Amino acid sequence: MRKKYAFLTIFLFIQCVEIYQCTHLKGTFSSSDFFKFLIKFGVQKTAGHSPDTSQGYIFGNITSKSHLFVPITFVVLRRSHFIDYYKNRVIFDKDEACNRMFSKLNKRAYDPQCSHDGKDYLRRIPCPTGELCEDEDDQWHVVNNHQFTYVFKDFKEPAFWYVSMVACYHNTTTCEWHHYDSHSPYEINYDIWLVNGSPNSSAFSTYQFSFDRQSTLEMYILFWLCYLVLVPLQCHAVKIQKHPVTRLFTASLVLDFVALSLNVIHTLKFAMNGEGYEKIQMIGDICDILSRTSFMLLLLLLAKGWAVTRLELTWKPLVFAIWLCYGIVHILLYVWNLTEVDIIEDVDEYQTWPGWMIIVFRSLIMCWFLYELRTTMLYEHNTQKLNFLLHFGASSLVWFIYLPILALIALHVSALWRFKLLLGITYSADCFAYCVMAHLLWPTRSEQYFLLKGPSSVDLEELDEFNEAPHIVNNSYTSLSSAGSIDVAHYEDQPKSKPAHA
């Protein structure tokens, strides 16, 4: 019965996708701003068999309570035209800035007086309240209850389109551009929707996302369902075996599950209203970073033999300092990507200098991890523990190395596909690592090689000192029984030494 309700919940969860709308922008353009960039939106390739339901659309309302003696400009451009337009916005003389921004668009953008052969890139705003925009000459091409509509049809390839507003107006007599310099303040209110697929069709589902974000909701839900199985199993394991390693791993796994759940909530909400919960998404991203850093700490501790060959950890300050530095750098990279990377640039977080720095840092930590693991294995002779360390090292190495390789591959992938590639491989690698670690640390298996403290356990610190003494040739012990007794290996040339007893 529970399974039946679970499947029903999942079915209804997925069916919610069918009522989605599109990316929604709502805000104000103020007279204190000369230029405002709104969004970069990926429009999908138009399907030849159903062009009307696979085209891209931008539609909405742009009005103002203020009176503008001439209209300013709403601009929608492809990247090839947008770069020159965008880079000239910073010129101090705004009249000159307007001239340069639109110098190449004068003949490419349609204007009824100056450019009859141009394309439909510009709109004069604000539009009259309750009426169509001045440039809309056919009301049948405008989405119902809206003032303007852009339609994008491209049968060759998907493309990014850039949406912005600028306080420039076109002199239709001289065909020149000028800065709208108003001494009285004005505000323009906009309510804009962007969608892949016809907004009048009920058939489109998650295509309201920008093309580079399509199918991300399905990815999040798929991995969320995997974690929905893995997390309860691990919580059950930590109840059976209350061990520091198990607890640290469970904390890392739960953090990752929380991060994924928050991202699912944000993406679902975005699909429903085109806006989502940005703060929830940011909290989810921070939890994801904390999860990966805590998982890295666990790998480093196990590589040094903590709780497997010894309970006393050597070089504690160094281990925790490296872990802390990696976490701080990772968070700084996230903040840098949000605040410093220009949205019009087709780069991801690992194509910036903080991104390369964290990849180098991660690669150095991986080398140190391998060195510590090799050292631990050299001083270990118990077959079960060696088998654990071998499998642990192989799976951990995959987790360490996938990101540098992925970053190099992403350099050669179009920005239209890059985000989905990074998201899919990153979550796959993390999920694989957690599944393998849960398997290796399962209580019935890990009790064979974990050092478990009991009420009658020996003083293992003294045993470690004894085992590391220079006069000992074989410095390993074979197993630690549940009663706390330890069988110490036979030591050559030491007939007087006695085995340790509980």
Side-chain angles (χ1 to χ4, degrees):
M1 184 63 69
R2 290 182 179 179
K3 289 184 178 180
K4 181 179 178 181
Y5 283 119
F7 281 116
L8 180 60
T9 302
I10 294 169
F11 175 76
L12 294 174
F13 193 57
I14 295 174
Q15 285 300 307
C16 289
V17 176
E18 301 300 326
I19 61 172
Y20 294 165
Q21 298 181 38
C22 57
T23 301
H24 187 197
L25 303 175
K26 197 171 183 179
T28 301
F29 178 68
S30 174
S31 58
S32 59
D33 304 321
F34 168 70
F35 174 88
K36 185 170 186 178
F37 179 75
L38 298 179
I39 195 171
K40 178 176 75 172
F41 187 77
V43 176
Q44 67 188 12
K45 178 182 175 182
T46 306
H49 60 279
S50 56
D52 293 338
T53 58
S54 59
Q55 296 173 143
Y57 287 82
I58 297 178
F59 57 94
N61 300 307
I62 303 178
T63 57
S64 178
K65 294 180 180 179
S66 306
H67 174 70
L68 281 71
F69 63 89
V70 289
I72 60 172
T73 311
F74 180 74
V75 186
V76 178
L77 297 172
R78 289 189 68 156
R79 180 176 177 80
S80 56
H81 296 148
F82 184 78
I83 292 176
D84 285 334
Y85 160 82
Y86 181 74
K87 71 181 182 182
N88 287 311
R89 78 195 189 285
V90 296
I91 296 175
F92 181 77
D93 184 346
K94 297 308 177 187
D95 256 356
E96 180 64 20
C98 288
N99 264 320
R100 293 195 182 184
M101 290 173 76
F102 290 93
S103 61
K104 293 185 177 180
L105 293 173
N106 261 338
K107 294 183 179 180
R108 295 174 180 173
Y110 172 78
D111 186 272
Q113 281 77 34
C114 302
S115 179
H116 296 280
D117 299 325
K119 294 186 178 180
D120 192 23
Y121 293 144
L122 311 178
R123 292 288 186 279
R124 295 178 177 90
I125 57 172
C127 306
T129 303
E131 300 178 18
L132 298 182
C133 291
E134 183 180 341
D135 300 293
E136 295 291 352
D137 53 0
D138 189 349
Q139 64 177 358
W140 300 107
H141 291 164
V142 179
V143 177
N144 292 337
N145 302 319
H146 294 90
Q147 295 176 304
F148 71 91
T149 298
Y150 286 84
V151 181
F152 306 98
K153 184 183 293 186
D154 191 336
F155 293 99
K156 294 182 179 180
E157 59 183 1
F160 281 119
W161 288 83
Y162 299 80
V163 184
S164 64
M165 295 179 177
V166 63
C168 296
Y169 68 93
H170 196 202
N171 187 326
T172 55
T173 304
T174 62
C175 293
E176 293 182 353
W177 289 87
H178 301 281
H179 174 221
Y180 183 92
D181 189 9
S182 174
H183 298 290
S184 58
Y186 67 85
E187 285 189 349
I188 294 179
N189 302 311
Y190 58 87
D191 188 350
I192 303 169
W193 301 84
L194 303 94
V195 63
N196 281 300
S198 173
N200 298 318
S201 172
S202 60
F204 77 94
S205 55
T206 62
Y207 296 110
Q208 77 285 349
F209 288 96
S210 174
F211 179 78
D212 59 315
R213 294 296 196 272
Q214 287 178 7
S215 302
T216 55
L217 177 59
E218 290 86 346
M219 287 187 193
Y220 283 131
I221 292 176
L222 175 62
F223 288 110
W224 185 79
L225 292 175
C226 292
Y227 280 75
L228 202 59
V229 175
L230 183 60
V231 171
L233 288 175
Q234 184 56 36
C235 290
H236 173 70
V238 79
K239 288 182 180 178
I240 297 175
Q241 186 184 70
K242 293 179 172 61
H243 192 272
V245 170
T246 312
R247 288 173 177 173
L248 180 57
F249 171 65
T250 305
S252 176
L253 179 61
V254 169
L255 268 175
D256 204 29
F257 178 67
V258 170
L260 187 56
S261 300
L262 294 176
N263 279 317
V264 168
I265 292 171
H266 161 73
T267 311
L268 271 175
K269 184 63 176 178
F270 181 89
M272 292 177 181
N273 67 0
E275 298 175 11
Y277 297 117
E278 291 188 1
K279 292 183 178 179
I280 286 182
Q281 183 191 29
M282 291 180 65
I283 295 173
D285 292 339
I286 296 298
C287 288
D288 189 46
I289 293 172
L290 295 177
S291 168
R292 291 176 188 171
T293 53
S294 59
F295 187 69
M296 177 176 285
L297 175 63
L298 174 64
L299 299 185
L300 293 175
L301 294 177
L302 289 175
K304 290 182 70 66
W306 180 62
V308 178
T309 62
R310 60 173 64 89
L311 285 178
E312 186 67 24
L313 182 65
T314 59
W315 297 95
K316 286 183 184 178
L318 179 62
V319 174
F320 286 96
I322 290 177
W323 166 69
L324 185 62
C325 288
Y326 181 81
I328 292 173
V329 171
H330 212 314
I331 292 175
L332 289 177
L333 168 63
Y334 177 73
V335 175
W336 171 277
N337 193 50
L338 287 179
T339 59
E340 299 298 327
V341 176
D342 198 328
I343 193 171
I344 74 159
E345 296 182 15
D346 286 340
V347 298
D348 61 78
E349 57 185 331
Y350 298 113
Q351 293 177 6
T352 60
W353 69 263
W356 287 115
M357 185 171 70
I358 201 169
I359 288 174
V360 171
F361 197 2
R362 184 186 178 101
S363 300
L364 292 175
I365 293 176
M366 178 183 67
C367 295
W368 186 47
F369 165 83
L370 291 174
Y371 170 78
E372 291 291 349
L373 183 63
R374 179 179 179 274
T375 303
T376 301
M377 294 180 72
L378 286 176
Y379 284 91
E380 180 58 61
H381 300 280
N382 183 288
T383 304
Q384 293 176 332
K385 294 183 179 182
L386 283 173
N387 188 53
F388 162 75
L389 292 172
L390 185 63
H391 288 84
F392 160 75
S395 59
S396 301
L397 183 59
V398 172
W399 184 82
F400 270 110
I401 205 171
Y402 87 88
L403 188 59
I405 295 175
L406 180 60
L408 291 174
I409 294 174
L411 289 173
H412 306 285
V413 177
S414 167
L416 288 159
W417 305 94
R418 191 183 301 136
F419 179 81
K420 289 180 280 191
L421 174 72
L422 291 171
L423 183 71
I425 295 182
T426 298
Y427 272 104
S428 297
D430 288 346
C431 187
F432 170 77
Y434 281 121
C435 289
V436 171
M437 191 61 68
H439 171 75
L440 292 175
L441 300 184
W442 193 253
T444 56
R445 184 174 295 101
S446 60
E447 65 183 6
Q448 301 173 20
Y449 40 78
F450 269 177
L451 298 178
L452 302 174
K453 279 189 174 181
S456 59
S457 62
V458 297
D459 187 354
L460 289 173
E461 293 184 9
E462 295 181 4
L463 181 62
D464 280 343
E465 294 178 3
F466 178 73
N467 287 342
E468 294 173 3
H471 62 279
I472 296 175
V473 177
N474 188 347
N475 61 343
S476 67
Y477 45 85
T478 56
S479 64
L480 179 63
S481 66
S482 59
S485 62
I486 297 179
D487 295 328
V488 180
H490 175 71
Y491 296 92
E492 297 179 4
D493 302 327
Q494 295 293 333
K496 294 182 180 181
S497 62
K498 297 180 179 180
H501 293 283

